[in-house]
Amino acid sequence: MVIKKETLEEKARALLLERGVTIEDIAELVMFLQKDYITDLTLEDCAESVDSVLTKREVHNAIITGIQLDILAEQKQLMDPLQHIIEDDEGLYGIDEILALSIVNVYGTIGFTNYGYIDKVKPGILKQLNRHDGDHVHTFLDDIVGAIAASAASRLAHAEPEKRSRLTQ
C-alpha cells in the first residue's frame, strides 16, 4: 500500500510546526541565501518556494524519518551507541546530513552548495535548533530545515535566472 501524498505532506508539515519550525522561519533562510542574487526578492516569494519544496514526496519522507529519530532520541528509545550519537549530535556521525542531501538532490548542484553554506553558518532558526540545550534533540531537524531552505533557494535561482542581480553578472 502506498500512502497518499497528501497524507504525507500533512504529517510532515504538522511535525515541523510541532517542533517549532514555521514556513516563515524557513523563508527567512531562503532570503538569507538569495537576497544578494535575485532583485526584488520578497519574503512572500521565499515562502512560496518553501511551500513548493514541501509538496515533494522525498521531502515528506525525510522530514518524517528525521523528526521521528529525533523524538526517539529524546525518549531514549534508541539502542546504544546510536542513542548517544544522535542525542549528542556527534560530529562524525553524518547520517543526518545524508538524509538532508536527499532533499537538496531534487534541485541540482546549486542545492548542494546552498546547503553546505547554510549548514556551516547556521543563521536564523538553524542557530536555535543547533543549540543542544534543553530536552529537545534536533540532530536531524536542523539539517532538514537547512536542506528545505537550500532547495527553495535553488528553486528560485533556477526558476528566474533573469532576475539575478548585477552582483552575479
Side-chain angles (χ1 to χ4, degrees):
M1 173 180 101
V2 175
I3 307 278
K4 287 184 177 181
K5 178 183 165 195
E6 294 79 17
T7 303
L8 287 173
E9 184 173 343
E10 287 174 20
K11 183 62 176 179
R13 287 175 181 267
L15 282 169
L16 287 171
L17 283 174
E18 287 170 21
R19 304 299 281 184
V21 179
T22 67
I23 299 298
E24 186 173 327
D25 291 330
I26 304 171
E28 288 171 1
L29 297 173
V30 176
M31 180 65 83
F32 172 81
L33 287 168
Q34 289 298 308
K35 68 184 179 333
D36 293 335
Y37 304 105
I38 299 177
T39 56
D40 302 322
L41 183 64
T42 66
L43 201 55
E44 284 181 17
D45 296 331
C46 296
E48 182 181 306
S49 192
V50 170
D51 272 325
S52 181
V53 169
L54 289 173
T55 66
K56 304 287 186 191
R57 182 177 286 269
E58 298 92 331
V59 177
H60 309 151
N61 290 335
I63 292 168
I64 294 166
T65 302
I67 291 176
Q68 181 64 58
L69 288 166
D70 283 345
I71 291 169
L72 288 171
E74 288 171 4
Q75 297 170 346
K76 304 203 182 305
Q77 295 295 309
L78 299 170
M79 65 180 161
D80 280 324
L82 188 59
Q83 175 65 42
H84 174 77
I85 291 168
I86 292 178
E87 194 173 44
D88 292 346
D89 197 4
E90 191 173 293
L92 295 176
Y93 178 58
I95 303 304
D96 46 336
E97 283 85 5
I98 295 299
L99 187 62
L101 291 175
S102 72
I103 295 172
V104 299
N105 191 44
V106 175
Y107 290 93
T109 307
I110 192 171
F112 285 90
T113 57
N114 279 337
Y115 173 71
Y117 176 67
I118 206 163
D119 188 49
K120 179 73 174 163
V121 299
K122 297 200 186 302
I125 188 76
L126 296 181
K127 185 175 185 176
Q128 294 171 28
L129 294 173
N130 201 49
R131 281 196 187 127
H132 308 292
D133 57 0
D135 297 328
H136 293 291
V137 173
H138 298 304
T139 298
F140 285 87
L141 183 59
D142 69 320
D143 294 304
I144 288 167
V145 169
I148 294 167
S151 296
S154 302
R155 181 183 171 277
L156 287 170
H158 282 294
E160 303 187 53
E162 68 278 1
K163 284 191 173 181
R164 299 196 47 93
S165 75
R166 290 177 294 203
L167 292 174
T168 61
Q169 294 177 355

